[in-house]
Amino acid sequence: NASRGALFLTDVDRLSPASQQVVMRLLRLRRHRRIAIVASTSVDLRPLVSAGTFNGELFANLSSLRLQIPSLRERAQDIPLLTHQFLQAEATRQVRAVPSLDPGFLAAVNDYTWPGNLDQLRCAIGWMLEHREGPLGAADLHAAIAEVRAEVESAETPVRMVPLDHVVR
């Protein structure tokens, strides 16, 4: 049904002013149609609103219900399970066997702070399975973290806005 839908905005803090205006128009349209908008960010938007780099009206609309999800480093007990799940999923995606792990691997995974949270862990595991053979060790993890960080820092990924009617079609 074209009158219902959901929009998920990841890293909403990175939206350009023009994109923020498009989202505001969508929010106004939402009053006439049932459109759910969910946004995520890893930064506090209030200083951005105060600095004038984030639309205050958009912030007010998006912050009507806020969920604070603890960072991965705050959920250290989940890291081994998540690591094994991501290894399995990535191995299945790459159609290869799940590699064995050297004894120091899980200790290294647990010791890292994971500032990029689940995405960083998932990307690091994907990189290791794509670029390493044999058992995975702490050195493989450190190489993956450095490589993923370099890819993120060098990537210029502007937010691309697509007209809503194209998405609906």
Side-chain angles (χ1 to χ4, degrees):
N1 185 337
S3 66
R4 295 177 189 219
L7 176 65
F8 179 70
L9 302 170
T10 186
D11 296 326
V12 71
D13 54 289
R14 294 178 39 201
L15 286 177
S16 69
S19 297
Q20 291 176 38
Q21 289 301 317
V22 170
V23 174
M24 280 306 305
R25 280 189 297 244
L26 183 61
L27 284 166
R28 289 181 190 113
L29 175 67
R30 179 176 75 167
R31 293 185 179 108
H32 306 289
R33 295 186 177 163
R34 295 184 50 112
I35 299 170
I37 298 178
V38 178
S40 73
T41 182
S42 59
V43 300
D44 185 356
L45 294 175
R46 288 175 287 221
L48 299 178
V49 172
S50 296
T53 58
F54 196 84
N55 183 302
E57 185 182 357
L58 178 57
F59 171 75
N61 277 281
L62 294 177
S63 65
S64 62
L65 174 64
R66 290 188 289 169
L67 300 174
Q68 186 167 354
I69 300 171
S71 67
L72 187 55
R73 70 182 153 272
E74 295 174 65
R75 303 183 331 251
Q77 71 278 7
D78 296 340
I79 293 175
L81 177 63
L82 290 166
T83 299
H84 286 290
Q85 287 178 334
F86 290 158
L87 281 166
Q88 178 65 51
E90 189 60 29
T92 299
R93 189 186 74 72
Q94 292 186 25
V95 190
R96 58 177 287 186
V98 176
S100 60
L101 306 175
D102 285 343
F105 180 80
L106 282 178
V109 171
N110 277 328
D111 289 343
Y112 189 66
T113 59
W114 300 107
N117 289 306
L118 290 176
D119 287 340
Q120 186 185 22
L121 176 60
R122 185 181 300 117
C123 288
I125 288 172
W127 187 91
M128 284 185 286
L129 265 64
E130 194 171 313
H131 294 91
R132 299 292 196 238
E133 294 292 327
L136 296 177
D140 298 313
L141 177 68
H142 297 305
I145 290 168
E147 187 62 33
V148 168
R149 183 182 307 129
E151 288 175 10
V152 168
E153 289 172 355
S154 69
E156 291 293 306
T157 55
V159 175
R160 190 175 78 106
M161 296 301 291
V162 179
L164 181 60
D165 59 332
H166 291 168
V167 175
V168 170
R169 268 190 250 130

